[in-house]
Amino acid sequence: MTQVAFHPDVFTWPSDDPQLIGGRCADCESITFPRPTSCARCGSTSVEEHLLPRRGTLWTFTTQGFLPKEPYAGGETNETFQPFGVGIVELGDDVRVESRLTENDPAALTIGMELELRVVPFRTDPDGTVVMTFAFAPVEQAAGEGA
Amino acid sequence: MVDVAIIGVGLHPFGRFGDKSAIDMGADAVRAALTDAGIAWPQVQFGFGGSFEVDNPDAVTSRLGLTGIPFMDVYNGCATAATALQLTADSIRSGQYDIGVAVGMDKHGHGAFTSDPVDYGAPPWYGEIGHFLTTKFFAMKINRYMHDHGISHETLARVAAKGYRNGVLNPNALRRKAISEADILSSRMLNYPLTQYMFCSPDEGAAAVILCRADIAKEYTPTPIYLRATTLRTRRYGAFEVHASWAAIEQDDAPTVYASKAAYEMAGIGPEDVDVIQLQDTDAGAEVIHMAENGFCDDGEQEQLIADGETEIGGRLPINTDGGLIANGEPIGASGLRQVYELVQQLRGTAGERQVPGEPRVGYAQLYGAPGTAGVSILSR
């Protein structure tokens, strides 16, 4: 089964330790995600690729309880749609990023909990290709790791 | 600088109106405002029209009379109406004109707004993976705020219930049925912690405001309402904002905080002087946060203030006396002028069953929307 990233410039993949690809301003050093064409802080057009930490903490979260309208491309229908978690994840001193979460139960999510980046199936196309996206998982759920 | 007064306001009800076009609703709102001001359309020297769905709001002139006046169209997200109001006021303040109209109109389909995320400065994939939703942002903002400042789910329900209750008293509102806090809490969870009945709906409607030089206002009305301040601000680096794939670790205040401070300075008054308040309640959580962002309380004080009924029509801080966005819905171009319409009724003492007691003197209106723009207006008798 073929797996492809939903977009080539968002995370390093295939990789055992995928990382989000951010940008670091060569002039003011501010870090953003994804890598922008210019810096949101100072306007500099010198923004270098900067790989972001794989682990972070949950700054806030919600659940997406209804099927988003187009341009959403998850392939679900109102009948098959399952709510998914979304959060802002603080990655050390670098930046906070918005991401899908592997957990969609608010009772299992706590602000401040530790999370780690995963690359997970997003949708399966008619030809069988599985489109992959990034998501953060609670660390205690990560395979082979303790809480 | 020339001072500016409001001499007429008009509203087309907010709701669902079948085949009636946004332009026709806008024309109805302007006609009502002209009648209120006691003037005829040819006396209006210029106008600004705001809309999200209508490319050319100036088509209202074809319904009112093609008098050849300058008429400028604006769109500025959920702050569109505040922008139309500010530009109209500024044109009079500059001395260029004596009388002008700000009109807003919209006719939205059902459900959350959508567009191309690239047009909002977001990455092209942002919508594809399901992040391009204002509702999700508001939910994440209030969830963090509840965690930091001890706001309960019950408080969110109380805010929404007040909106519906005030809507019952407003013949122009979309929703005119009270909903219990229990029903609000148990309605469908759209974006945790926000349930279906805690959100406003996009809908249809129009509103218009006639402005004139303050020194000639009494020629038109015995009760001019003075526009003491209009401010607009965009987000700064470090603010946590809608439609952003990232946020800086280094935090700054929301644009509303800056728009609010500048408005108080322009008006020469403080939040303690305000008698009646209209806030952007896209959802119940937004009203809670905006109470603090506009200086009406400290972070966390909302829990007790709302439990004590202080934000009700008869309370110390009457907020969204006409039901706000929760009861009226949000036709984007018209929403902020609906706020002004309500404040004018309150300051004139003509708000009927919704009238804030004690002859309010100062009114305050705030808008906030994508991609991080806030507008504040302060009115007084």
Side-chain angles (χ1 to χ4, degrees):
Chain A
M1 187 164 52
T2 311
Q3 294 185 334
V4 298
F6 79 94
H7 195 286
D9 302 330
V10 179
F11 50 86
T12 59
W13 192 77
S15 166
D16 290 338
D17 299 306
Q19 284 178 275
L20 294 177
I21 304 168
R24 180 179 171 281
C25 177
D27 292 316
C28 79
E29 303 185 350
S30 75
I31 296 168
T32 51
F33 168 76
R35 181 185 175 186
T37 51
S38 61
C39 174
R41 183 157 174 258
C42 74
S44 167
T45 51
S46 301
V47 182
E48 299 157 348
E49 181 175 298
H50 175 83
L51 298 183
L52 298 173
R54 298 195 59 230
R55 281 203 178 187
T57 54
L58 189 58
W59 189 76
T60 187
F61 66 92
T62 185
T63 52
Q64 182 54 42
F66 60 94
L67 180 66
K69 286 183 185 174
E70 284 183 9
Y72 180 63
E76 303 100 320
T77 63
N78 276 318
E79 289 66 40
T80 63
F81 179 76
Q82 292 295 319
F84 56 86
V86 181
I88 300 288
V89 184
E90 186 165 299
L91 299 176
D93 295 328
D94 275 10
V95 67
R96 296 177 184 138
V97 298
E98 188 177 68
S99 175
R100 188 177 281 233
L101 305 174
T102 59
E103 178 60 64
N104 71 355
D105 178 5
L109 293 165
T110 312
I111 288 174
M113 76 191 301
E114 197 173 7
L115 304 167
E116 187 174 78
L117 186 70
R118 294 280 178 272
V119 172
V120 300
F122 175 55
R123 69 161 191 269
T124 302
D125 283 342
D127 65 0
T129 303
V130 179
V131 178
M132 308 294 281
T133 191
F134 65 99
F136 277 84
V139 165
E140 60 269 26
Q141 287 184 0
E145 290 170 349
Chain B
M1 192 169 69
V2 176
D3 285 333
V4 176
I6 296 168
I7 55 169
V9 289
L11 192 84
H12 181 284
F14 283 23
R16 295 274 169 208
F17 303 98
D19 293 337
K20 186 168 187 177
S21 73
I23 295 289
D24 283 328
M25 289 186 247
D28 282 358
V30 174
R31 284 188 199 99
L34 291 168
T35 301
D36 189 44
I39 64 171
W41 173 244
Q43 291 171 264
V44 174
Q45 297 165 343
F46 75 102
F48 280 91
S51 185
F52 175 57
E53 308 281 358
V54 178
D55 288 340
N56 285 290
D58 75 353
V60 290
T61 58
S62 70
R63 302 292 194 274
L64 298 163
L66 293 167
T67 53
I69 58 169
F71 194 104
M72 285 68 71
D73 298 327
V74 297
Y75 170 67
N76 204 11
C78 295
T80 294
T83 307
L85 184 72
Q86 165 150 352
L87 292 169
T88 307
D90 282 348
S91 300
I92 295 170
R93 287 172 181 141
S94 74
Q96 204 175 352
Y97 303 106
D98 296 332
I99 299 182
V101 64
V103 56
M105 65 205 78
D106 252 314
K107 187 178 182 75
H108 305 298
H110 289 272
F113 294 113
T114 191
S115 289
D116 183 345
V118 173
D119 292 339
Y120 285 74
W125 46 263
Y126 193 68
E128 291 170 30
I129 61 169
H131 287 185
F132 190 58
L133 289 150
T134 54
T135 59
K136 167 219 67 181
F137 163 76
F138 286 111
M140 292 200 295
K141 186 170 178 182
I142 189 61
N143 198 22
R144 177 77 197 191
Y145 195 88
M146 292 164 80
H147 171 266
D148 286 349
H149 301 295
I151 303 297
S152 64
H153 294 263
E154 289 70 26
T155 289
L156 302 183
R158 286 190 188 105
V159 169
K162 170 182 66 72
Y164 294 115
R165 221 166 30 242
N166 290 351
V168 173
L169 306 177
N170 179 2
N172 294 314
L174 164 72
R175 303 198 187 284
R176 303 204 58 211
K177 202 178 86 180
I179 303 179
S180 72
E181 288 157 25
D183 285 350
I184 290 164
L185 283 169
S186 64
S187 65
R188 185 179 163 207
M189 187 63 77
L190 296 188
N191 294 99
Y192 179 89
L194 299 171
T195 64
Q196 182 177 353
Y197 294 156
M198 292 179 189
F199 277 107
C200 82
S201 305
D203 64 342
E204 308 174 14
V209 175
I210 311 257
L211 301 176
C212 88
R213 284 171 42 173
D215 60 344
I216 59 169
K218 291 217 166 159
E219 294 175 22
Y220 301 99
T221 173
T223 54
I225 302 298
Y226 299 96
L227 190 56
R228 302 277 299 274
T230 52
T231 58
L232 292 166
R233 288 293 184 277
T234 56
R235 64 208 179 282
R236 289 175 182 242
Y237 180 80
F240 174 51
E241 294 298 319
V242 64
H243 297 329
S245 53
W246 61 279
I249 303 276
E250 166 192 334
Q251 274 186 258
D252 201 338
D253 288 327
T256 291
V257 174
Y258 288 98
S260 177
K261 283 179 180 159
Y264 287 127
E265 193 171 318
M266 187 175 176
I269 63 164
E272 66 281 359
D273 301 314
V274 175
D275 302 310
V276 55
I277 303 160
Q278 294 279 330
L279 300 178
Q280 175 88 22
D281 56 332
T282 310
D283 62 278
E287 181 170 316
V288 171
I289 294 170
H290 290 154
M291 286 172 66
E293 287 188 354
N294 290 284
F296 296 113
C297 65
D298 288 336
D299 290 321
E301 285 183 355
Q302 300 96 327
E303 184 74 9
Q304 194 62 45
L305 286 169
I306 290 165
D308 292 345
E310 295 288 14
T311 63
E312 305 281 339
I313 286 171
R316 187 166 62 77
L317 295 169
I319 295 175
N320 293 333
T321 47
D322 64 351
L325 277 75
I326 285 183
N328 287 281
E330 187 184 25
I332 287 178
S335 193
L337 294 174
R338 185 260 311 155
Q339 294 180 326
V340 171
Y341 176 90
E342 173 68 5
L343 291 178
V344 167
Q345 304 307 325
Q346 292 287 348
L347 300 182
R348 285 177 179 168
T350 53
E353 287 185 280
R354 305 188 308 282
Q355 183 64 48
V356 167
E359 300 184 349
R361 292 196 60 81
V362 178
Y364 184 102
Q366 174 250 356
L367 291 177
Y368 169 82
T373 305
V376 169
S377 310
I378 299 177
L379 288 63
S380 76
R381 280 200 274 138

